[in-house]
Amino acid sequence: MTDELERLRGRSVLVAGAGVSGRATIEPLTDLGAHVTVTDRDERALAECAALGARTVDLDTLVDDSAALREFALVVTSPGFPPDAPLLSRAAGAAVPIWGDIELSWRIDRAEIYGPARRWLVVTGTNGKTTTTTMVHAILEAAGRSSVACGNIGLPVLDALRRDDPRADVLAVELSSFQLHWAPSVRPDAGVVLNIAEDHLDWHGGIENYIEAKLGALTGAVGVLGLDDPIAGGLLDRSRAVVTVGFTLGYPQEGELGISGELLVDRAFADSAVLARVDDVTPPGPAGLSDALAAAALARAIDVPESAVHDGLRRHRVGPHRAAPVGQVDGVDYIDDSKATNPHAARSSLLARDRVVWIAGGLLKGARVDDLVAEVAPRLSGAVLLGRDAGDIAEALTRHAPQVPVVVVDTSDDEAMTDATSETDTPPVTRIVAPGADGPTAMRVAVREAAALASAGETVLLAPAAASLDMFADYAERGRSFASAVEELRGGGTHR
């Protein structure tokens, strides 16, 4: 790998994407002696890259100039670019190698450009990645290991590698399927596939490609599988790890971690070691316990003692926008789970509560919601939908939960759309027209409508089951908009 990096000295490298991960590549590539060009459509982001010493070029201009691509020795792509993106297709056609930022990070680390190579503990899955990654970091800190949580969690791995005060010897790395797709060389000390459900199918072109990307976490010394998940649990024969173990919410067999009574138990890295009590785990409930077992497995794979697992899990606290309470108004609880960006994640939140008014919608990314709606229908007191794919969710509710009143906050300018009606006695879908409203404004309308549907003792739950980028900068802005709208309710007094 050192030779491949050496060949970049004095050569031109193209960075596709001027966002956080793209910007993080500029200084390391410059340290390698490469001449860096960044391409994007965002002029402001390109200006930030230029301030770091990179040449910049508009994406559309570059795509239209195939000959220019042949000048580059390498393309380093941000994870948002799918394989069939015109820029990458043209680069591949010109025989230019394509690495993701994680591939570059791995090669730089193995070449010890920034000191001795780190130990990588990789977390992937459709849901629970961030919680598991922060749990791993908490456990490592409790063990006295110098570590950092990085990757898809927010801190680019390259930035983590360049830190030397303090230096991190162990990386808890959250990786998305996008990042894994573009990182074929990664061989972690341990990696986990938590679960797999339909997500990002538009990017990958189908579920099998999505699964294949996730398998990139199971290529190192130890692979860990979520056995309770039907797809992830069935990947044992496809794991390329030297040793593969599993975790389950049931009693663990040999080679597994699981739960015995009120205890988290390890029978994979010990005969039968008690790791923690169920009550030690935050967030509580099945999803939190699964994440804790996964985190414990990764830590135990690099010989972290049971006592550190116990202490780390006790100290761990859930991050914002992950089933976080934001207030109570007139006896109704308001919960922000904006991080539930796909149906699988929303399912966990919905099933954790008895009676819910559900706020959902956004970009479904090719995922289907029929199975989710059919399962949670008995718990729904109402649903308020917004975002580009709100209509798909409304149709699923009409099919599988016809008794549930549904409100769609429509921000489009399509005046041809009319309120849905029903020929039965079931509640119709009500359309609230707010043409041109931005995300925060639409969220205020959604929260107000949800409040009108909710009764004391129930929960208004933001669990969108969809991505946020159609209306918000990210899921965090969506969650903040929800919390702000709830605060307005609180200040406005009773809503019933």
Side-chain angles (χ1 to χ4, degrees), residues 144-167:
R145 305 283 185 96
S146 176
S147 70
V148 66
C150 56
N152 195 54
I153 199 170
L155 175 69
V157 177
L158 285 166
D159 285 353
L161 295 176
R162 296 177 69 241
R163 284 186 177 182
D164 57 10
D165 187 23
R167 170 191 158 89

Side-chain angles (χ1 to χ4, degrees), residues 75-311:
V75 173
V76 178
T77 181
S78 300
F81 281 76
D84 60 355
L87 176 68
L88 301 187
S89 296
R90 301 248 177 125
V96 180
I98 302 171
W99 298 353
D101 64 300
I102 299 301
E103 179 77 4
L104 177 64
S105 303
W106 175 260
R107 289 171 181 263
I108 283 176
D109 190 38
R110 296 303 99 177
E112 301 188 346
I113 302 299
Y114 298 118
R118 280 72 169 177
R119 307 194 77 173
W120 287 46
L121 303 179
V122 167
V123 179
T124 196
T126 302
N127 299 302
K129 295 188 294 294
T130 298
T131 298
T132 302
T133 303
T134 56
M135 285 177 167
V136 172
H137 179 50
I139 292 169
L140 292 170
E141 284 192 320
R145 305 283 185 96
S146 176
S147 70
V148 66
C150 56
N152 195 54
I153 199 170
L155 175 69
V157 177
L158 285 166
D159 285 353
L161 295 176
R162 296 177 69 241
R163 284 186 177 182
D164 57 10
D165 187 23
R167 170 191 158 89
D169 296 316
V170 186
L171 306 182
V173 190
E174 177 186 329
L175 294 183
S176 70
S177 59
F178 303 164
Q179 291 169 311
L180 285 164
H181 175 89
W182 293 118
S185 298
V186 171
R187 301 290 182 269
D189 289 82
V192 62
V193 177
L194 301 169
N195 45 57
I196 294 179
E198 288 186 346
D199 198 18
H200 303 302
L201 301 191
D202 49 353
W203 196 99
H204 288 282
I207 188 67
E208 183 54 37
N209 290 340
Y210 180 57
I211 294 171
E212 185 61 33
K214 294 295 188 186
L215 283 166
L218 307 177
T219 56
V222 178
V224 182
L225 293 172
L227 300 178
D228 296 336
D229 182 83
I231 299 179
L235 296 179
L236 180 62
D237 292 339
R238 298 177 65 179
S239 172
R240 299 188 289 273
V242 177
V243 175
T244 304
V245 303
F247 64 91
T248 174
L249 293 178
Y251 183 81
Q253 303 302 308
E254 185 177 350
E256 299 174 3
L257 290 82
I259 296 178
S260 176
E262 295 299 312
L263 303 175
L264 279 66
V265 176
D266 173 12
R267 298 192 64 201
F269 303 97
D271 288 338
S272 186
V274 174
L275 301 175
R277 294 186 58 81
V278 168
D279 291 344
D280 292 333
V281 176
T282 303
L289 290 171
S290 290
D291 294 343
L293 289 165
L298 294 181
R300 296 286 284 161
I302 60 168
D303 301 320
V304 169
E306 303 98 297
S307 59
V309 175
H310 172 266
D311 292 345

